[in-house]
Amino acid sequence: MASCSPSLLLQLEFPLTRRPTTPSSERSTRPFSVRSIKLPIRKVPGDYGIPFIGPIKDRFDYFYNQGRDEYFKSRIQKYRSTVFRVNMPPGPFIAPNPKVVALLDGKSFPVLFDVTKVEKKDLFTGTFMPSTELTGGYRVLSYLDPSEPKHGHLKRLMFFLLKSRHDKVIPEFRSSYTELFQNLEKELATKGKANFGDANDQAAFNFLARSLYGSNPTDTQLGLDGPKLIQKWVLFQLSPILNLGLPRLIEDFIFHTFRLPPSLVKADYNRLYDFFYQSSGFVLDEAQRLGISRDEACHNLLFATCLNSFGGMKFFFPNVLKWIGRAGVKLHTQLAQEIRSAVRSNGNDITMAAIENMPLMKSTLYEAFRIEPPVPLQYGRAKRDLLVESHENAFEIKEGELLFGFQPLATKDPKIFERPEEFVADRFLGEGEKLLKHVVWSNGPETESPSIGNKQCVGKDFVTLISRLLVVELFLRYDSFDIEVGSSPLGSAVTLTSLKRASF
Ligand code: HEM
């Protein structure tokens, strides 16, 4: 993260005349050593309830009684603060310590990206970590802190993979997603509607395998089984923090209270592993050169491709259709005009340069990332005593405390974004570009880049490119489309009810 003295920031953003608004009972008794802090220092409000009972009660509120958004919003009201103490699921018996300090505004949230202040070891899934038996016995890259030497080696390997296959992305995306739209058209013609999610799962997996490894799953033992195998394996890792829509007592007992035994998914995982091992020889050679065993590298490639990449596409692509679909025909027409004109001016070729000339399309996607970030929960453990600032207060955090951010509230902070709850497709055009630093889906500002020293998503540029390619493909083929939206454990269930063929 770019560093800027917190006191300087405070002076710039908060005039000296500002008076404390904190109730005196909650004002910190310790004046903290930073004299230049102009915000009132407040003790972090909130509590964790009675041991064992409190976390379970909170789990039921989070999943069922209130639901995730209300769980946080009601507490913001209660404590009159966007920073407070709260339990995060799953709690007993999976996570022995569910206590976190929640950061729910766009000002406090970014401390989670500052690896000089927070440690990110074993925090990818939050207050619990899935068994390493699900990843070949290794702690894979997403769970490593940049202070661990292996983090740098593995992240370098991922950069190598993406760089070596860079020129395959556009052609393979086009062929996989042309196939997807052709299939959806057929389904629409016969059934009157078409499920985008299932088709997207297959297209996403085929695309990732073909573009990153030059291997076509249907030509191997894997056939069409990839997405199904991944979903089951992901369930074994993430079920403690997912709402699966089952009857609540059954769901809570089976999925949120105990870990599912990894042995039940081992055979499926091995099929995926064999596919990756056979397809990724060139990356495994590079891994050995970097001092990583072929086995450890392969488990990491599997995780990055199936959980980070496939998981991201499974969640984000339906959301793109949902938000653009709901925005209506006016936006569809503007996007179709912009995209077709940029492609025509580029000799009917889709290249990075052509895509750069599609400002509305780019802004629309940033807005989709802002309004519904695909990975909403982020964690970081305070490396030392520190002060975290919301818009109103500064809070003392003790070394070792777990900080947690619910990203959708940070990226819908009304003090940063106007009309935060609205999907404003052109929000990031012109002057709006200055707001891009507050778009943080990649675990860092959109204006910054992943490096071996930070925890920003390795696939940031790759994801940006393929989401743009999705919208380009969509509006080269169609003038407009209609959808129905339901919910699913990972994002939205989108059904297409019409696709209007390109008429200009
Ligand atoms: C829509 C798609 C994606 C989304 C939303 C996404 C999001 C994220 C987020 C939020 C993190 C940080 C997690 C944390 O520590 O809290 C992350 C890390 C990571 N992502 Fe992505 N990602 C996506 C696609 C990809 C792709 C295509 C790759 C391909 C290689 C990838 C590889 C990784 C890796 C390896 C890390 C760990 C980085 C590190 O340890 O420094 N992701 N991603």
Side-chain angles (χ1 to χ4, degrees):
M1 265 185 77
S3 67
C4 179
S5 145
S7 55
L8 176 64
L9 264 181
L10 286 167
Q11 281 161 17
L12 287 174
E13 291 180 359
F14 298 91
L16 299 177
T17 50
R18 199 179 175 92
R19 299 254 63 86
T21 51
T22 312
S24 58
S25 60
E26 284 183 12
R27 246 174 254 155
S28 172
T29 47
R30 202 155 66 90
F32 217 81
S33 55
V34 188
R35 285 200 169 173
S36 50
I37 295 279
K38 295 294 177 290
L39 287 172
I41 295 181
R42 182 177 173 188
K43 228 172 78 183
V44 181
D47 64 74
Y48 302 110
I50 305 166
F52 193 75
I53 309 283
I56 291 182
K57 183 184 166 302
D58 283 352
R59 182 164 84 212
F60 271 80
D61 282 349
Y62 179 92
F63 285 120
Y64 311 112
N65 301 333
Q66 294 184 296
R68 197 170 61 180
D69 283 21
E70 201 45 36
Y71 184 73
F72 298 120
K73 285 182 182 166
S74 64
R75 284 161 178 78
I76 293 177
Q77 295 297 320
K78 180 173 165 192
Y79 301 123
R80 287 187 293 130
S81 175
T82 48
V83 175
F84 51 81
R85 296 183 184 282
V86 71
N87 292 306
M88 273 302 287
F93 295 100
I94 296 174
N97 185 359
K99 298 175 182 177
V100 303
V101 173
L103 313 175
L104 303 179
D105 60 82
K107 182 148 182 253
S108 59
F109 188 91
V111 73
L112 293 166
F113 311 139
D114 187 343
V115 291
T116 66
K117 292 184 176 161
V118 300
E119 188 194 66
K120 299 278 293 179
K121 196 171 181 176
D122 297 338
L123 295 179
F124 181 62
T125 43
T127 56
F128 78 106
M129 184 182 162
S131 166
T132 52
E133 278 179 57
L134 293 161
T135 48
Y138 298 101
R139 288 172 58 238
V140 289
L141 178 53
S142 286
Y143 292 96
L144 302 183
D145 185 73
S147 63
E148 301 177 76
K150 195 148 271 170
H151 175 270
H153 296 320
L154 286 168
K155 203 159 182 175
R156 234 179 228 122
L157 185 67
M158 299 299 162
F159 285 133
F160 167 83
L161 166 68
L162 294 174
K163 193 159 172 251
S164 355
R165 305 291 302 173
H166 185 253
D167 58 343
K168 305 288 184 286
V169 176
I170 295 180
E172 292 299 355
F173 190 91
R174 292 216 71 191
S175 87
S176 300
Y177 277 77
T178 298
E179 205 178 313
L180 165 128
F181 284 117
Q182 285 167 347
N183 291 339
L184 288 174
E185 283 175 27
K186 279 187 212 141
E187 201 179 326
L188 256 175
T190 52
K191 297 188 193 154
K193 50 184 173 180
N195 179 329
F196 179 75
D198 290 345
N200 180 53
D201 287 353
Q202 201 59 58
F205 186 69
N206 289 342
F207 156 69
L208 288 167
R210 293 170 189 165
S211 65
L212 295 178
Y213 304 100
S215 184
N216 188 10
T218 45
D219 299 339
T220 72
Q221 296 276 328
L222 212 49
L224 295 172
D225 295 346
K228 200 174 64 198
L229 302 177
I230 297 172
Q231 260 152 247
K232 190 166 156 199
W233 170 69
V234 168
L235 181 76
F236 274 63
Q237 297 170 76
L238 300 187
S239 64
I241 48 171
L242 294 181
N243 190 334
L244 302 168
L246 300 171
R248 61 170 73 179
L249 288 178
I250 296 174
E251 175 172 303
D252 202 69
F253 184 72
I254 298 178
F255 294 102
H256 300 154
T257 310
F258 304 103
R259 289 168 190 268
L260 299 172
S263 55
L264 295 182
V265 76
K266 189 148 182 66
D268 291 345
Y269 183 78
N270 286 346
R271 285 187 65 198
L272 288 168
Y273 181 88
D274 290 344
F275 172 76
F276 280 91
Y277 199 86
Q278 280 151 23
S279 314
S280 60
F282 71 104
V283 202
L284 303 182
D285 293 343
E286 175 68 8
Q288 275 189 306
R289 217 184 53 74
L290 289 167
I292 309 163
S293 76
R294 296 178 87 82
D295 185 55
E296 181 166 7
C298 188
H299 288 290
N300 271 280
L301 292 176
L302 193 164
F303 192 92
T305 313
C306 298
L307 203 141
N308 298 121
S309 311
F310 176 81
M313 290 172 80
K314 181 175 173 58
F315 184 91
F316 188 59
F317 279 20
N319 277 353
V320 169
L321 258 74
K322 175 179 81 177
W323 288 107
I324 297 181
R326 282 180 178 168
V329 74
K330 183 168 169 233
L331 177 66
H332 300 178
T333 309
Q334 287 170 332
L335 286 170
Q337 278 165 346
E338 177 185 90
I339 289 166
R340 290 173 202 172
S341 133
V343 172
R344 273 186 212 122
S345 319
N346 197 51
N348 282 327
D349 201 8
I350 300 174
T351 60
M352 302 281 278
I355 291 172
E356 275 312 310
N357 284 326
M358 303 175 185
L360 179 62
M361 183 276 284
K362 293 194 291 182
S363 172
T364 304
L365 280 166
Y366 291 134
E367 180 66 345
F369 276 122
R370 179 197 73 83
I371 202 159
E372 202 171 359
V375 181
L377 315 181
Q378 265 85 46
Y379 292 84
R381 196 173 296 286
K383 280 185 162 173
R384 51 183 159 87
D385 291 359
L386 47 97
L387 275 182
V388 171
E389 297 129 22
S390 70
H391 294 290
E392 291 83 17
N393 290 100
F395 298 89
E396 292 174 10
I397 305 294
K398 290 265 170 264
E399 179 181 343
E401 287 200 281
L402 188 57
L403 300 173
F404 151 78
F406 182 55
Q407 198 182 128
L409 290 183
T411 54
K412 290 190 280 184
D413 181 337
K415 294 205 165 72
I416 294 174
F417 292 103
E418 283 172 22
R419 297 184 285 153
E421 301 289 338
E422 249 178 78
F423 185 80
V424 182
D426 59 3
R427 187 186 291 277
F428 298 97
L429 288 184
E431 278 292 292
E433 225 176 286
K434 290 189 184 138
L435 289 168
L436 278 178
K437 62 174 185 285
H438 301 292
V439 176
V440 292
W441 68 270
S442 64
N443 200 38
E446 194 56 35
T447 44
E448 294 179 20
S449 299
S451 73
I452 56 166
N454 66 24
K455 281 293 282 179
Q456 195 161 8
C457 175
V458 179
K460 177 174 178 264
D461 292 346
F462 179 85
V463 172
T464 304
L465 173 60
I466 61 174
S467 2
R468 290 174 180 178
L469 289 171
L470 174 71
V471 182
V472 168
E473 201 59 42
L474 183 64
F475 287 105
L476 284 178
R477 296 179 70 92
Y478 311 108
D479 284 347
S480 182
F481 62 97
D482 292 302
I483 50 167
E484 281 168 2
V485 180
S487 64
S488 85
L490 278 181
S492 311
V494 170
T495 305
L496 284 157
T497 52
S498 81
L499 284 169
K500 300 185 182 70
R501 273 286 196 180
S503 63
F504 60 92

